[in-house]
Amino acid sequence: MRFGELIPLIGALVNFSLAVFVLYHNPRALVSRVYFFLGICFAIWNYGTFWMFRMDPGDHDGALFWARFLQFGVIWIPLMLCHISFLIAQIPVPRWLVRTLYGLHAVIFLMNFTSFYVADVRRASYAWYAVAGTGFWLWSAVFSLVWVSIVVLFRFRRTLPANARRRVTPLLVAQTALVTFGGNDILPILGIYTYPGTHYPIYPFGSMAVILYGVIVGYSVLQYQLLDVRVTMSRTAAKAIRMMFIFLTGLCALLILWLIHPEGFTMYSFFAALATLMIGATCAATLFPRLFGDSSETIERKLLGDTFEYEDQVRRFVESITWYSDVNLLFNDLDDLLTRVFDLASYFLILRDDTNRMFEVTRSHPAHSPVQCPELKPQSPVFQYFEWSQGEYLPLDSNDVYTRRSPLARQAREQLASFHSRFCFPLSSEGETFGLLLVGDKSHGRFSASDITLLLTVVKSMSLIVNQIRLKTQILRAQELDLLGKMSRGMAHDLNNLLTPVWTLLQLSNEMGGELDEELLPMALRNVTTMRAYIREALFFSENLRPDLQLGRLDLVVRNAIEVARTSRKKEISVIAIAPGEVLAEMDEVLIQRLLANLIVNAIDASPEGEEVQVFLERLPKVDPTREWLRVRVVDRGEGIPKENLSRILTPYFTTKNRGDENRGFGLGLAICRKIVTLHGGNLAISSQIRKGTTVQVDLPSRQLKPAIPAIKTAAAS
């Protein structure tokens, strides 16, 4: 095999592989199907040229076969280049005209079986060439269509904004080179074997132009989403593309050296040099990944879309998304993913409120308070677009080449114009769209096709889990109603038991002419006091409180709570406070004192006489630059809480202190404690071991986060 024969063979492999790749990733799109057949035609042309180079000088019949074989691909290329250019530019072409042109080429295709198209073959100094028949001269006039395709792309490029021209420019350059060098390959068929005015033989540069065309289209598919193909680049695939790039670069360099000095190469030296290059590059890339440049890898990011660098982070988020049970935690991590990993400068998450069926901005960056969007309704254009077109996302750029001619897409863009975003992704379940994710520009760089693919993966996974959480919320609401019924029955039972002695006392007093029973009177007074405390706690639990947040000393509040707890219990228990000194926190001191007093009283009640209750106040390691977290631990060495009760201990009206004296409990103390902690944006946790004691842990922020002033209404109004 001569080295020059490698050029068309590589062209055949590159274009066949790319054609299959494009069709596999988007088989339903017409532009992908047309490109697939165009790539097959390129492969046939190159493969036939390869065998034309391989034929022996005396094998006339074999050369004639391969000359006609390669023309089966060449015949269709001008028409398909023109067709794909019109599809990319979204210029409508009458169907009858398309069918007529393809029918005309089918006739030319049939001519190729006869000598009317390829009359014969002729041996040049280095290869066989076809001899044009009358049909080939007729086809040469049709070849002018390739220049129409270039004009269409050039005019289409001029209508695009500057940032959108990048996706068309490489294709325009590659197609111009292909047409120019393809015309070069036609000259020998027409009987012109040297360049006009010179004695230099005509080389088949068209085969090299086809390789260039395939590489540039592959680059545009990866980076600019050409042909509407979105590709997710894993680390393995990215490494394979790096190695392929090194291989093609080395191969082209060796072929150029062979053209300059063919006598200096043998088959062994050529492939040995290529293999040495690949082995060295593989070892360097594996053992010394930073050997070829700094960590910014600017060129590589442009070529591969930078997806492989953060795909693992997106994959981990998607894999862990099923474990979320709280939408707020999910949205917090989503915010980190969008702003830190995807590097978004802005986004808006819009969800439907199942209570009033209104859409509102739930989360956004920069942060805003939730704001309703009354203009968004189930029959709005944006929801109709996703329902009717089955589109996965909507580009909000009016110059988008794939949706700019859709009236529904245009109406949807106008409806979302106030958000100043780039893309809109639907959150849907079972065909119903219940939310939107609007993403703005990236803080640095541009969106690549891989960015869109990863965002689609995140949105689809998030749609599923958000819908599941919504269903769970509905179930919890039903459970809360059931709990409310149990609470009502419990309150009625408790109050009835407490009122019985009072009612008996009043009846006896009435029968005895106003005299009170000295035995029933203390019990009645005690029960009335208990009922008042019971009602007071129930009212506190049911109220929607707004804490009066002020900066105060948490260490003093802890000491005051200890004194209150000591005076309420006549028990020989020592309570010790361990604090780091002065600790400032933004809080409602009355509520926090009540919270801590309740916890300390519970610890005293659970502890045997002579034991000790410890109250620790600690500063946690700082992880938030805007505030620090404080922890209060109340530790007792009592009997502990049984495992079966530990999961129910915070449930309202669940109590183990069901004695009928003044220390009896009604199951609201810990529920009130949890509510106070929630009002302060903190966390409450309880751990316990039988016969070893219980620890109640309260984490509170030193500063409360203030909600941002909503600005979306102003933007919408403008």
Side-chain angles (χ1 to χ4, degrees):
M1 180 187 295
R2 292 173 296 176
F3 300 128
E5 298 168 7
L6 291 173
I7 298 175
L9 182 59
I10 293 171
L13 293 175
V14 167
N15 283 279
F16 178 78
S17 303
L18 183 59
V20 173
F21 176 83
V22 169
L23 184 69
Y24 172 78
H25 279 82
N26 196 4
R28 294 186 296 177
L30 178 60
V31 67
S32 297
R33 296 198 297 269
V34 174
Y35 182 80
F36 171 76
F37 288 110
L38 176 63
I40 297 300
C41 291
F42 283 147
I44 292 173
W45 171 20
N46 286 144
Y47 193 64
T49 303
F50 166 73
W51 281 105
M52 288 286 282
F53 275 91
R54 295 263 306 161
M55 288 293 102
D56 294 331
D59 193 354
H60 177 274
D61 292 339
L64 180 60
F65 170 81
W66 288 109
R68 288 176 175 165
F69 176 87
L70 69 87
Q71 292 299 327
F72 284 125
V74 173
I75 287 170
W76 299 97
I77 289 175
L79 176 60
M80 289 187 174
L81 280 175
C82 194
H83 192 185
I84 204 169
S85 298
F86 274 82
L87 290 174
I88 290 175
Q90 292 195 330
I91 299 176
V93 181
R95 186 170 297 180
W96 66 267
L97 179 58
V98 175
R99 291 177 177 175
T100 300
L101 290 173
Y102 273 98
L104 175 62
H105 279 70
V107 173
I108 300 175
F109 181 86
L110 295 175
M111 290 180 185
N112 192 38
F113 287 97
T114 69
S115 59
F116 182 74
Y117 191 79
V118 175
D120 201 356
V121 290
R122 183 183 303 163
R123 179 71 186 183
S125 60
Y126 54 88
W128 288 94
Y129 276 101
V131 176
T134 305
F136 190 87
W137 285 93
L138 294 174
W139 176 84
S140 298
V142 180
F143 184 75
S144 60
L145 284 174
V146 295
W147 296 106
V148 174
S149 69
I150 293 175
V151 172
V152 167
L153 287 178
F154 180 75
R155 296 184 63 180
F156 171 63
R157 181 182 178 278
R158 293 179 60 184
T159 64
L160 298 175
N163 60 344
R165 292 176 186 171
R166 297 186 182 94
R167 68 187 304 176
V168 180
T169 299
L171 181 64
L172 183 60
V173 172
Q175 199 152 309
T176 303
L178 178 64
V179 171
T180 302
F181 293 110
N184 169 86
D185 285 14
I186 294 176
L187 295 178
I189 301 176
L190 299 177
I192 305 171
Y193 296 97
T194 59
Y195 290 107
T198 70
H199 297 287
Y200 294 106
I202 294 176
Y203 285 96
F205 290 117
S207 297
M208 295 187 68
V210 169
I211 299 176
L212 175 68
Y213 183 86
V215 170
I216 289 181
V217 169
Y219 163 78
S220 299
V221 164
L222 289 175
Q223 177 64 14
Y224 296 124
Q225 199 179 322
L226 186 69
L227 308 179
D228 198 24
V229 173
R230 293 182 294 274
V231 183
T232 300
M233 191 68 60
S234 65
R235 292 181 180 272
T236 303
K239 184 174 292 187
I241 287 182
R242 293 190 192 104
M243 301 311 297
M244 185 178 67
F245 180 79
I246 294 174
F247 173 79
L248 291 175
T249 303
L251 178 62
C252 291
L254 289 173
L255 287 174
I256 291 173
L257 291 175
W258 169 78
L259 289 173
I260 296 173
H261 187 59
E263 294 80 9
F265 283 89
T266 64
M267 189 69 68
Y268 174 80
S269 64
F270 184 91
F271 285 103
L274 195 60
T276 302
L277 173 68
M278 290 303 299
I279 293 172
T282 303
C283 293
T286 304
L287 301 177
F288 306 98
R290 299 183 182 272
L291 182 64
F292 298 106
D294 58 22
S295 59
S296 61
E297 298 174 331
T298 305
I299 296 177
E300 187 175 58
R301 293 188 183 196
K302 289 183 178 179
L303 287 173
L304 303 181
D306 198 27
T307 304
F308 54 90
E309 293 200 354
Y310 60 83
E311 184 192 31
D312 289 344
Q313 300 178 56
V314 176
R315 188 182 70 250
R316 285 195 295 269
F317 176 79
V318 171
E319 290 175 351
S320 65
I321 206 170
T322 55
W323 297 99
Y324 286 91
S325 58
D326 186 343
V327 291
N328 290 322
L329 294 178
L330 172 61
F331 293 159
N332 289 340
D333 290 346
L334 175 68
D335 177 85
D336 182 68
L337 184 76
L338 295 178
T339 56
R340 185 176 57 84
V341 178
F342 284 98
D343 194 27
L344 295 182
S346 65
Y347 77 85
F348 297 93
L349 179 62
I350 301 175
L351 294 177
R352 185 185 64 207
D353 188 341
D354 289 334
T355 304
N356 54 24
R357 309 295 292 181
M358 294 287 291
F359 287 90
E360 66 176 23
V361 178
T362 305
R363 286 295 177 95
S364 63
H365 177 78
H368 299 282
S369 295
V371 176
Q372 289 188 349
C373 305
E375 69 277 7
L376 292 179
K377 299 177 181 178
Q379 298 304 316
S380 297
V382 61
F383 298 110
Q384 291 182 359
Y385 171 81
F386 291 118
E387 179 181 354
W388 294 352
S389 69
Q390 300 296 313
E392 294 181 312
Y393 73 101
L394 172 64
L396 300 181
D397 183 357
S398 59
N399 291 312
D400 178 69
V401 294
Y402 296 108
T403 59
R404 67 176 182 173
R405 296 184 183 276
S406 169
L408 197 57
R410 184 177 65 254
Q411 295 174 17
R413 289 192 189 97
E414 292 173 353
Q415 189 173 38
L416 300 174
S418 60
F419 293 97
H420 306 292
S421 299
R422 287 290 305 278
F423 298 98
C424 175
F425 297 87
L427 279 73
S428 57
S429 175
E430 298 180 355
E432 180 187 11
T433 302
F434 61 85
L436 302 171
L437 176 63
L438 305 174
V439 301
D441 290 313
K442 300 183 73 172
S443 298
H444 304 90
R446 305 183 306 272
F447 280 100
S448 67
S450 299
D451 290 324
I452 303 300
T453 302
L454 291 175
L455 282 170
L456 283 171
T457 302
V458 170
V459 168
K460 289 179 180 178
S461 302
M462 193 175 68
S463 298
L464 178 64
I465 192 63
V466 169
N467 187 61
Q468 291 178 353
I469 294 175
R470 291 166 66 209
L471 294 176
K472 290 180 181 178
T473 301
Q474 294 176 2
I475 295 174
L476 288 175
R477 288 175 181 172
Q479 292 175 344
E480 287 177 357
L481 291 175
D482 180 62
L483 176 62
L484 183 61
K486 293 179 180 179
M487 289 166 53
S488 301
R489 291 192 295 271
M491 288 184 67
H493 179 267
D494 287 338
L495 290 174
N496 182 63
N497 289 340
L498 291 169
L499 280 172
T500 297
V502 180
W503 176 252
T504 302
L505 176 63
L506 293 176
Q507 276 189 322
L508 291 175
S509 175
N510 184 52
E511 292 173 359
M512 297 172 61
E515 294 184 8
L516 297 177
D517 190 304
E518 293 183 358
E519 294 182 1
L520 286 177
L521 182 58
M523 182 185 297
L525 290 174
R526 187 170 61 248
N527 283 9
V528 169
T529 302
T530 302
M531 282 190 293
R532 292 182 63 187
Y534 189 5
I535 293 171
R536 185 169 59 251
E537 287 193 356
L539 288 175
F540 180 91
F541 182 75
S542 63
E543 288 176 347
N544 292 320
L545 297 177
R546 293 186 178 180
D548 181 18
L549 300 174
Q550 301 289 337
L551 188 64
R553 289 184 58 179
L554 182 57
D555 57 306
L556 295 182
V557 174
V558 170
R559 299 186 187 281
N560 293 338
I562 292 175
E563 293 302 321
V564 171
R566 280 174 176 160
T567 56
S568 66
R569 289 295 185 265
K570 304 296 190 293
K571 198 172 183 181
E572 293 299 327
I573 299 291
S574 61
V575 183
I576 299 176
I578 303 173
E582 182 176 311
V583 179
L584 297 178
E586 195 174 6
M587 59 185 169
D588 186 319
E589 293 189 7
V590 175
L591 294 181
I592 295 298
Q593 180 172 310
R594 178 168 186 172
L595 156 72
L596 299 177
N598 278 356
L599 298 180
I600 296 169
V601 165
N602 287 344
I604 292 174
D605 290 341
S607 300
E609 294 279 352
E611 273 294 351
E612 181 181 88
V613 172
Q614 295 177 317
V615 182
F616 297 91
L617 174 58
E618 308 164 332
R619 285 189 173 93
L620 298 181
K622 193 168 185 178
V623 295
D624 189 338
T626 60
R627 59 182 181 173
E628 63 178 338
W629 282 81
L630 309 170
R631 174 170 292 173
V632 180
R633 290 187 298 126
V634 179
V635 182
D636 68 64
R637 295 178 178 81
E639 285 299 314
I641 303 172
K643 187 175 181 180
E644 62 272 14
N645 291 340
L646 196 59
S647 60
R648 305 163 59 195
I649 200 71
L650 295 175
T651 304
Y653 292 94
F654 175 81
T655 182
T656 56
K657 294 190 293 184
N658 50 11
R659 300 185 303 274
D661 58 9
E662 67 273 8
N663 293 331
R664 104 171 250 138
F666 295 100
L668 287 174
L670 286 176
I672 289 174
C673 290
R674 184 174 64 173
K675 180 170 183 176
I676 294 174
V677 172
T678 302
L679 290 173
H680 285 77
N683 302 295
L684 186 146
I686 301 176
S687 60
S688 184
Q689 290 184 330
I690 297 298
R691 290 184 296 277
K692 290 186 178 181
T694 301
T695 298
V696 182
Q697 177 178 294
V698 176
D699 291 344
L700 297 172
S702 64
R703 188 176 65 85
Q704 301 295 320
L705 295 180
K706 302 296 190 300
I709 300 174
I712 295 176
K713 286 186 175 180
T714 305
S718 60

